[in-house]
């Protein structure tokens, strides 16, 4: 009787789980999740996992129409952020402007691609709120990346960043790491100094649209699976064991600072 009650309790808890890891053949690689952005608007995130290529991607549209794409390449330990920003046509910009930011991927940032591919949700219409709101990460992007040679860092950069050909950035610390691993130095171009630079003003305080300045761009991944959760069970002999039974969700913001040759390329960064 006791074992039956225990099993029934486990079934009830399983039904209550909104997101669970399904260990089964024929894994689904796409998950659509509704999330609330910081401006209060609700958007749909599309998360895709490819366990063979060992990647996870996340994409959503912001309230201003900007399309944000994030890719985690676990094979190369590289993460890629892309922003497709609607241009201001009346101010001489193109229809949209593309930015790409590339940096090293830490293993504890997001769950493995194999686990992501097994993820399901019970109620697709629910609006998700992240369980943990991680701190804002400040990134000074002091080098440009050559698109034609970027395959040495990740095979996904070319497809992700082809529209941002002249606006692909990375950090000095990441450049040093990749050079130590044998990556060709010709991939990178050091940009004018972006820290403690008296000669360059922040773009938001620069009046001349054709002057170089330091641009900033911020984005936030409102909801993504950052950690695996484990539950404990016991067999008929009473021996306990842990198994994967769900995920912990996180939200994280990123603030990028980088050099642009003219303020015209950074019109969103203005004083209000």
């Amino acid at each position: 009787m006791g074992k039956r009650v225990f099993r029934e309790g486990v079934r009830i808890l399983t039904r209550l789980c909104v997101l669970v890891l399904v260990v089964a053949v024929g894994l689904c690689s796409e998950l659509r999740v509704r999330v609330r952005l910081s401006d209060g608007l609700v958007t749909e995130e599309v998360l895709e996992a490819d366990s063979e290529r060992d990647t996870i991607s996340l994409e959503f549209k912001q309230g201003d129409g900007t399309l944000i794409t994030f890719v985690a390449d676990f094979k190369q330990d590289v993460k890629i952020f892309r922003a497709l920003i609607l241009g201001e046509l009346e101010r001489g910009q193109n229809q949209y402007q593309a930015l790409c930011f590339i940096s090293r991927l830490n293993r504890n940032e997001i769950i493995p691609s194999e686990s992501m591919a097994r993820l399901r949700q019970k109620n697709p219409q629910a609006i998700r709120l992240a369980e943990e709101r991680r701190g804002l990460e400040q990134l000074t992007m002091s080098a440009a990346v050559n698109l034609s040679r970027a395959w040495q860092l990740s095979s996904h950069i070319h497809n992700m960043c082809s529209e941002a050909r002249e606006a692909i950035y990375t950090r000095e610390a990441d450049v040093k790491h990749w050079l130590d691993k044998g990556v060709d130095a010709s991939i990178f171009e050091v940009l004018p100094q972006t820290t403690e630079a008296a000669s360059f003003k922040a773009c938001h305080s620069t009046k001349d649209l054709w002057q170089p300045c330091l641009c900033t761009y911020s984005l936030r991944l409102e909801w993504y699976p950052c950690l695996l959760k484990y539950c404990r069970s016991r067999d008929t002999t009473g021996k306990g064991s842990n198994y994967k039974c769900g995920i912990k969700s996180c939200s994280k913001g990123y603030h990028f600072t980088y050099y642009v040759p003219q303020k015209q390329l950074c019109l969103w960064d203005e004083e209000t």
Side-chain angles (χ1 to χ4, degrees):
M1 180 67 180
K3 291 181 180 178
R4 183 181 301 171
V5 172
F6 175 78
R7 285 197 297 269
E8 185 61 26
V10 170
R11 292 193 190 99
I12 293 171
L13 286 173
T14 302
R15 294 193 193 103
L16 292 175
C17 287
V18 174
L19 290 159
V20 297
L21 290 172
V22 180
V23 182
V25 178
L27 302 179
C28 178
S29 64
E30 181 180 284
L31 183 72
R32 293 177 177 269
V33 178
R34 298 180 73 214
V35 299
R36 191 178 302 280
L37 302 175
S38 55
D39 59 8
L41 296 177
V42 174
T43 192
E44 183 181 68
E45 284 186 2
V46 180
L47 298 98
E48 295 183 344
D50 187 330
S51 55
E52 287 189 9
R53 301 176 74 184
D54 206 6
T55 61
I56 290 175
S57 67
L58 183 159
E59 188 168 81
F60 65 96
K61 186 174 287 188
Q62 296 183 158
D64 62 0
T66 298
L67 184 67
I68 301 295
T69 309
F70 167 79
V71 168
D73 181 350
F74 292 96
K75 285 187 177 179
Q76 298 296 113
D77 291 333
V78 169
K79 60 185 175 187
I80 309 164
F81 298 91
R82 183 188 65 187
L84 294 180
I85 306 163
L86 293 179
E88 298 186 39
L89 301 180
E90 69 280 5
R91 301 180 69 177
Q93 287 192 323
N94 294 328
Q95 186 175 2
Y96 62 86
Q97 183 176 345
L99 301 174
C100 264
F101 304 104
I102 303 168
S103 61
R104 292 169 60 190
L105 175 69
N106 296 317
R107 287 286 172 170
N108 61 348
E109 289 188 63
I110 192 167
I111 66 172
S113 60
E114 183 179 354
S115 298
M116 180 67 214
R118 293 190 173 103
L119 206 59
R120 304 288 192 277
Q121 61 177 331
K122 294 288 186 180
N123 183 5
Q125 297 305 313
I127 298 174
R128 310 294 175 198
L129 294 175
E131 297 171 65
E132 179 184 339
R133 192 172 179 87
R134 294 184 169 179
L136 180 69
E137 185 173 354
Q138 305 274 354
L139 300 102
T140 299
M141 314 304 278
S142 54
V145 177
N146 186 318
L147 179 65
S148 65
R149 299 185 177 95
W151 56 267
Q152 295 183 52
L153 301 179
S154 170
S155 61
H156 305 282
I157 295 175
H158 191 273
N159 289 337
M160 278 274 291
C161 303
S162 57
E163 292 122 327
R165 181 175 295 272
E166 303 299 326
I168 308 173
Y169 305 100
T170 190
R171 300 182 298 176
E172 181 181 1
D174 294 324
V175 171
K176 290 179 178 178
H177 169 75
W178 289 321
L179 291 178
D180 289 342
K181 291 183 65 177
V183 169
D184 193 332
S186 63
I187 295 178
F188 309 106
E189 177 190 350
V190 178
L191 296 172
Q193 188 70 21
T194 54
T195 57
E196 302 177 355
S199 57
F200 296 114
K201 293 182 179 180
C203 288
H204 65 76
S205 60
T206 301
K207 303 302 180 183
D208 189 342
L209 291 179
W210 309 108
Q211 284 295 313
C213 54
L214 299 182
C215 185
T216 61
Y217 188 79
S218 297
L219 62 87
R220 174 169 286 277
L221 304 182
E222 287 292 349
W223 189 99
Y224 65 95
C226 53
L227 291 171
L228 294 173
K229 286 183 178 179
Y230 290 86
C231 296
R232 190 165 180 82
S233 65
R234 294 185 182 277
D235 59 21
T236 55
T237 65
K239 183 179 180 181
S241 62
N242 295 327
Y243 64 95
K244 299 172 186 177
C245 59
I247 58 98
K248 179 179 181 179
S249 58
C250 289
S251 170
K252 185 171 177 62
Y254 301 85
H255 183 82
F256 304 96
T257 301
Y258 58 98
Y259 166 88
V260 290
Q262 55 193 44
K263 181 181 176 175
Q264 179 76 359
L265 299 173
C266 187
L267 292 182
W268 57 82
D269 191 5
E270 296 184 307
E271 289 181 326
T272 56

